[in-house]
Amino acid sequence: MSTLTTIKRAAITAVAHYVPDEVVPNSFFEAYLDTSDEWIKTRTGINTRRILRQGASSDLALPAVKKVLEKRGISVDEIDLIIFCTVTPDMLFPATACVLQKKIGAKNCWGFDLLGACSGFLFGLETGRRFIESGAAKKALVVGADKMSSITDYSDRNTCPLFGDAGAAVLLEPIEETEFGILDSILHIDGSGGEHLYMKAGGSLNPASHETVDNKWHYVYQDGKTVFKSAVVGMADVSAEIVQKNHLTADDIAYLVPHQANLRIIDATRERMGLAPEKVMINIDKYGNTTAATIPMCLSEWHEAGKIKKGDYLVLASFGAGYTWGSILLKWAY
């Protein structure tokens, strides 16, 4: 005899973030590079970024995860899944999810790392959603944390002002109210864009050697103009598409929550969606591009400020190396 199981909606039930104390202003780069505060702000929207001198990505995630557990009022033993989204793992293995699991003392969970570059958190959120909806997990931590300073060439003026370090995390749980939670997603990859944004060495293709170190292949490389052109179209189109697909309008959307890579890309996405400026979460001016941490960090800051309320429609959108890009539609549940 077969039984029908009602799929429960996956919802974010807590969110928190962490940034290091050290603030690096644009004037830092002015002091030794052929650049200026005005040039950086005009082209990127960035004023400052945070840098972690000592420690790794797990150390950026740890305070955020502790805050999530505290906010939700649950024991770490209730966590049954950790998805750690990062391009700067503590080590290639063991997974940083394992490192974090040890640091928080979680006894009853499993987990893994997910590498989706700047779209990593969206990919992780969608993956966590499926575990929750299937019943395979009841409390899943989705973490976005990157120590971008560890793979940034501070002699390359085209990339070094762009990145910062941060960690953020959300808790996903099933909810009975199916009108809330994660409603839909549209996610893409296109490997033909890989030649424009990558880190050449450190994997099995180019293992660490004198040559790879001397050639600075362990740092981020970006063809900025090409990536910008692709990101403007990709992120804008997929954000508008998910709204239309779900028969909503700009008036229905409380906030666009975009990946914080470049203010001009964010503005193009907002205009494509027909949203007013006050309907966009922006903190790139304070933190720069923190890769997998940008979207959950926006959610955390806006929620702490009381700007998100239950029932708000949010569109999360990203574009990153791979290429990877996508959007997620959710209705805030708490």
Side-chain angles (χ1 to χ4, degrees):
M1 180 178 177
S2 64
T3 59
L4 294 176
T5 301
T6 302
I7 295 178
K8 293 183 179 180
R9 189 78 71 184
I12 294 172
T13 58
V15 58
H17 72 283
Y18 169 78
V19 292
D21 292 333
E22 183 174 348
V23 179
V24 177
N26 291 342
S27 58
F28 171 82
F29 303 101
E30 279 184 319
Y32 73 98
L33 290 174
D34 182 18
T35 190
S36 68
D37 173 64
E38 182 182 2
W39 191 93
I40 296 170
K41 285 195 292 191
T42 301
R43 285 160 178 78
T44 68
I46 301 169
N47 294 322
T48 60
R49 70 285 296 143
R50 302 294 185 97
I51 299 298
L52 182 70
R53 293 287 179 180
Q54 301 294 327
S57 292
S58 65
D59 297 306
L60 293 165
L62 181 60
V65 168
K66 287 182 175 179
K67 288 180 188 176
V68 162
L69 297 174
E70 181 182 346
K71 286 182 176 182
R72 187 66 180 92
I74 62 172
S75 163
V76 68
D77 292 335
E78 295 182 55
I79 301 300
D80 48 19
L81 174 62
I82 299 172
I83 302 175
F84 200 116
C85 311
T86 187
V87 294
T88 57
D90 288 22
M91 297 167 280
L92 281 178
F93 66 90
T96 310
C98 298
V99 177
L100 180 64
Q101 176 268 333
K102 179 184 177 183
K103 287 184 175 181
I104 63 176
K107 305 291 186 183
N108 302 310
C109 74
W110 68 289
F112 52 90
D113 290 1
L114 189 153
L115 195 159
C118 293
S119 299
F121 180 76
L122 288 197
F123 288 12
L125 194 64
E126 175 66 5
T127 303
R129 168 198 179 190
R130 299 302 179 177
F131 278 101
I132 295 295
E133 289 183 345
S134 70
K138 290 184 172 62
K139 288 182 172 61
L141 283 172
V142 181
V143 177
D146 273 297
K147 185 182 176 180
M148 292 303 295
S149 62
S150 68
I151 58 170
T152 298
D153 179 0
Y154 282 90
S155 67
D156 180 4
R157 70 169 190 163
N158 295 312
T159 57
C160 67
L162 304 179
F163 299 106
D165 303 336
V170 301
L171 181 66
L172 283 181
E173 296 183 78
I175 58 170
E176 299 288 348
E177 302 168 290
T178 56
E179 69 271 26
F180 295 99
I182 301 172
L183 305 178
D184 197 8
S185 68
I186 304 172
L187 303 172
H188 298 282
I189 64 170
D190 179 4
S192 66
E195 63 187 279
H196 306 299
L197 179 53
Y198 60 83
M199 189 175 75
K200 193 170 186 177
S204 57
L205 177 62
N206 294 298
S209 66
H210 283 295
E211 180 189 13
T212 64
V213 173
D214 291 343
N215 290 333
K216 297 186 176 183
W217 288 354
H218 295 270
Y219 293 130
V220 175
Y221 166 81
Q222 177 172 259
D223 176 357
K225 290 181 179 179
T226 301
V227 173
F228 177 85
K229 290 176 182 177
S230 298
V232 164
V233 175
M235 199 163 92
D237 283 355
V238 79
S239 301
E241 182 185 353
I242 202 165
V243 174
Q244 295 164 2
K245 179 185 174 186
N246 287 274
H247 310 292
L248 300 172
T249 69
D251 292 338
D252 297 312
I253 305 303
Y255 289 106
L256 167 67
V257 192
H259 169 56
Q260 310 285 306
N262 183 292
L263 188 57
R264 292 182 293 166
I265 296 172
I266 294 171
D267 284 341
T269 303
R270 175 186 64 78
E271 291 172 3
R272 176 77 170 80
M273 296 176 70
L275 295 176
E278 59 268 20
K279 285 191 168 189
V280 185
M281 295 187 188
I282 297 173
N283 61 14
I284 188 174
D285 55 317
K286 297 186 293 183
Y287 306 122
N289 182 353
T290 57
T291 309
T294 67
I295 289 176
M297 188 155 61
C298 280
L299 291 174
S300 178
E301 285 201 321
W302 262 252
H303 187 261
E304 284 185 357
K307 295 179 180 179
I308 308 176
K309 63 182 186 297
K310 184 174 181 177
D312 279 349
Y313 281 109
L314 307 180
V315 174
L316 284 50
S318 65
F319 190 95
Y323 290 139
T324 61
W325 73 102
S327 59
I328 286 179
L329 175 69
L330 63 85
K331 195 171 186 181
W332 200 253
Y334 78 105

